[in-house]
């Protein structure tokens, strides 16, 4: 199983020791997800189903929120999540597709992801939402670079709506709790490490579904950037990634 | 405990047999909820928290949806529910209030309602959403009649947004399932009767919180109308209320 640790280990190993032939295409070390044109149906179905799964987790989080304030915050994040879902469903329909049909093939992988990242209490569940939504919205925004200009513009607008404000609100609430309880800090740091492993697996599946030629070596720089962004998200909470 | 059956029994009894004194105010038999001015904070806190509770139930429903189509429908209804919640939170903030604080006092009653009306499968949970949201949005729309013109207009717009389309989509999906399975029809008819009893209790609490002078006798015509609307909702499914 590919884990966060193996990604990390790979990132830490010395640069390719073999001399690089000048004919070797630069794309190997500088792959951009936008170099590939994702199948629009597959891309949208996957992205739309993911938002639906994230909404479900937030519904559960709301039910176990420790206060009305955290419950309200959960409702706020769930609203943006569902708006992304609805926006992506509208894109599927605009392309002449049927949303449930487009989402169906992605159900098994994403449901499994959701089960493994449910979390034991509100703090773990909301951290999962922050970490997974952050990383996967990054992935889908990058994949959108391969779509037509008009499609990309609309999809990226849908994916980014509300995300920065929601992240700031989650960071503010979690930081308060972490400051008040050092045990929570270490528990959430551990949980964040487990989450990023599971999330990267879903990211890998999302990328593979969009371009068949993807292999781990070519995608390594992309994963390195995704992990760097994840590290910044954990840093914002004062937690070690 | 006040149940649907006691409301029904009351509706069925003969009209007041005592001769009515001409000085007796007409409001006794024709009370309109708009005759009372609800405390805006109490009204909005209660309405906002209710939508949050309905969203949670829909999150659970999404997790147990029997197909991607029913899951998509659940996401759609949850979106409107959360939009109503966000719209009501915006009204609380516009009035200078703090949303979690305004919602807090209503948590116990509504959480209890939510627990009792969770449902055993997707069909029961989505019927609960249809029945409870339908009846309670009716109640809050009527109570809004006592607000200032500007407040009322905004609040009613928030409460009604998307409701008719969502109801039609739920009716269409449930009708298909009911036609295919007569056992489901009788199970849902029974479940609907239990739901309406629990929902009327919450409606009663919502009305009481808004005007202290409410008593069961004066409110009877209001409940009669609420039950009539409930009966129409169950009729739309081909179920006996």
């Amino acid at each position: 199983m590919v884990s966060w640790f193996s990604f990390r280990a790979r990132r830490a190993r010395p640069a390719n020791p073999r001399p690089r032939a000048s004919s070797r295409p630069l794309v190997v070390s500088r792959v951009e997800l936008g170099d590939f044109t994702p199948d629009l149906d597959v891309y949208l179905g996957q992205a739309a189903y993911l938002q639906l799964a994230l909404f479900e987790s937030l519904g559960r989080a709301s039910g176990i929120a420790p206060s009305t304030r955290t419950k309200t915050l959960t409702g706020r994040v769930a609203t943006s999540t569902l708006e992304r879902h609805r926006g992506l469903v509208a894109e599927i329909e605009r392309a002449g597709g049927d949303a449930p049909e487009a989402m169906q093939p992605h159900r098994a992988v994403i449901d499994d992801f959701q089960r493994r990242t449910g979390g034991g209490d509100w703090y773990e569940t909301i951290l999962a939402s922050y970490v997974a939504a952050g990383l996967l919205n990054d992935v889908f925004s990058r994949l959108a670079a391969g779509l037509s200009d008009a499609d990309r513009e609309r999809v990226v607008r849908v994916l980014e709506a509300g995300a920065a404000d929601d992240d700031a609100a989650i960071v503010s609430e979690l930081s308060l709790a972490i400051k008040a309880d050092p045990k929570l800090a270490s528990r959430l740091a551990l949980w964040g490490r487990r989450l990023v492993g599971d999330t990267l697996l879903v990211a890998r599946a999302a990328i593979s579904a969009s371009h068949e030629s993807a292999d781990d070596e070519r995608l390594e720089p992309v994963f390195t950037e995704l992990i760097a962004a994840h590290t910044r998200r954990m840093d914002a909470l004062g937690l070690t990634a």
Side-chain angles (χ1 to χ4, degrees), chain A:
Chain A
M1 189 176 116
V2 184
S3 75
W4 179 79
F5 298 101
S6 68
F7 281 113
R8 190 174 174 99
R10 221 188 282 148
R11 181 170 54 152
R13 76 184 176 188
N16 192 337
R18 288 167 294 162
R20 178 168 290 174
S22 64
S23 67
R24 202 172 172 190
L26 256 176
V27 77
V28 171
S29 58
R30 296 179 63 184
V31 67
E32 288 290 337
L33 293 180
D35 295 347
F36 304 91
T37 305
D39 177 323
L40 189 62
D41 264 15
V42 173
Y43 170 84
L44 292 173
Q46 199 166 28
Y49 193 79
L50 175 73
Q51 301 296 333
L52 203 49
L54 291 170
F55 141 69
E56 266 175 35
S57 298
L58 288 163
R60 201 174 43 240
S62 180
I64 54 174
S67 64
T68 308
R69 195 180 67 227
T70 46
K71 200 188 263 279
T72 309
L73 168 60
T74 314
R76 170 189 168 158
V77 178
T79 308
S80 324
T81 304
L82 276 173
E83 276 165 4
R84 280 193 281 275
H85 167 70
R86 295 302 302 163
L88 294 162
V89 163
E91 289 301 314
I92 293 170
E93 288 167 353
R94 172 195 283 265
D98 174 76
E101 221 169 85
M103 294 191 287
Q104 182 62 37
H106 311 288
R107 195 164 175 173
V109 168
I110 295 175
D111 283 359
D112 184 50
F113 165 69
Q114 197 198 344
R115 266 189 299 274
R116 281 183 292 139
T117 57
D121 64 4
W122 183 82
Y123 299 99
E124 290 187 2
T125 307
I126 206 78
L127 182 67
S129 165
Y130 168 73
V131 161
L135 199 151
L136 294 171
N137 288 342
D138 259 15
V139 168
F140 284 107
S141 286
R142 281 154 180 266
L143 283 171
L147 301 176
S148 76
D149 285 358
D151 286 341
R152 180 183 62 240
E153 198 179 305
R154 284 197 315 276
V155 165
V156 170
R157 195 165 49 228
V158 165
L159 287 174
E160 290 181 354
D165 287 350
D166 285 356
D167 278 3
I170 292 175
V171 165
S172 158
E173 186 67 41
L174 279 181
S175 297
L176 278 177
I178 286 169
K179 264 178 211 147
D181 178 2
K183 275 188 192 165
L184 181 65
S186 58
R187 179 157 65 87
L188 289 182
L190 274 171
W191 176 239
R193 273 173 221 142
R194 175 161 154 212
L195 283 173
V196 74
D198 282 328
T199 309
L200 286 169
L201 282 177
V202 172
R204 184 71 185 71
I207 297 167
S208 297
S210 290
H211 54 87
E212 291 165 6
S213 62
D215 63 57
D216 281 351
E217 181 139 13
R218 297 183 76 206
L219 288 173
E220 192 178 315
V222 172
F223 280 103
T224 301
E225 284 176 34
L226 292 174
I227 291 168
H230 167 72
T231 303
R232 284 193 296 276
R233 274 188 288 271
M234 295 297 277
D235 279 350
L237 296 170
L239 299 178
T240 311

